[in-house]
Amino acid sequence: MELKNFIASHDVDMASERIDNNTMLEMSSLLSFDFGTELVTYIQKYGYLGYRYVEFCGINARQMERSDMVKQTLALRTRCPQTDKYVVLESGGDGFYVLVDEEDAVYDFDEYSETITPTGKTLNDYILERFQAAD
C-alpha cells in the first residue's frame, strides 16, 4: 500500500492551511536545508500527518516559522550541531528524534549518545510503516 492510499482510506489528521512554493523556499532558507522531493510533497500536500497515537512534525500556513518542524529542528541543532543537515520529523521523547535528510532518507537520533542511525527507509515508507503499526 502507498502512503496516499492509506491516508485516503483512514482517518488521518492533517493541516487545514498548507504552505505554497514561496513559503517553502522561505522555510528552506530559514533552516538552511534543501527539502527532498518527498518532504516537499508531504509539507505542501498535508502540512503534517497524525494517525491515532502517531504524530509527525510539519509546517502549516497558520504557524509558519513557529510550526513544530521548524522550532524543533532549530532547537535540536542548537543543542546538537551534528544534526544541522537534517530536519526533525518526529519527537519520540526522552531525547529520541526521527530526522530526515535532504534526500528524504530517515534516521533515528539519540540526543544522549549523540548517535545518528540510518533506518534504511525513505520518508513515505517510514510514515506508512508507523501508521500501519498503529492501525
Side-chain angles (χ1 to χ4, degrees):
M1 174 181 283
E2 290 186 23
L3 177 60
K4 65 181 180 179
N5 296 336
F6 185 95
I7 291 168
S9 63
H10 292 75
D11 187 23
V12 176
D13 191 33
M14 63 187 73
S16 58
E17 298 177 35
R18 292 174 283 282
I19 64 173
D20 59 21
N21 286 333
N22 289 335
T23 305
M24 194 78 203
L25 290 172
E26 290 173 25
M27 296 299 109
S28 176
S29 177
L30 175 66
L31 293 170
S32 300
F33 183 83
D34 292 327
F35 291 90
T37 305
E38 289 183 20
L39 191 53
V40 167
T41 300
Y42 165 81
I43 292 169
Q44 289 188 325
K45 190 169 184 177
Y46 308 117
Y48 77 93
L49 290 172
Y51 180 67
R52 296 194 175 175
Y53 58 84
V54 178
E55 185 172 330
F56 296 105
C57 296
I59 302 172
N60 65 70
R62 190 174 328 131
Q63 293 178 303
M64 305 283 277
E65 69 278 352
R66 294 183 324 275
S67 295
D68 57 358
M69 181 176 281
V70 176
K71 287 183 359 184
Q72 288 191 36
T73 296
L74 293 175
L76 182 62
R77 288 178 180 175
T78 299
R79 295 189 310 274
C80 304
Q82 69 271 36
T83 64
D84 69 345
K85 299 293 184 202
Y86 306 89
V87 294
V88 174
L89 176 66
E90 185 178 18
S91 174
D94 296 326
F96 292 97
Y97 295 88
V98 175
L99 308 176
V100 181
D101 71 10
E102 294 178 337
E103 304 296 320
D104 295 316
V106 178
Y107 300 80
D108 290 321
F109 177 64
D110 180 341
E111 186 173 358
Y112 300 107
S113 68
E114 299 186 352
T115 306
I116 299 173
T117 308
T119 65
K121 296 176 181 63
T122 61
L123 178 67
N124 289 343
D125 291 340
Y126 179 82
I127 293 171
L128 178 60
E129 184 178 286
R130 293 277 288 130
F131 282 172
Q132 286 175 328
D135 204 17

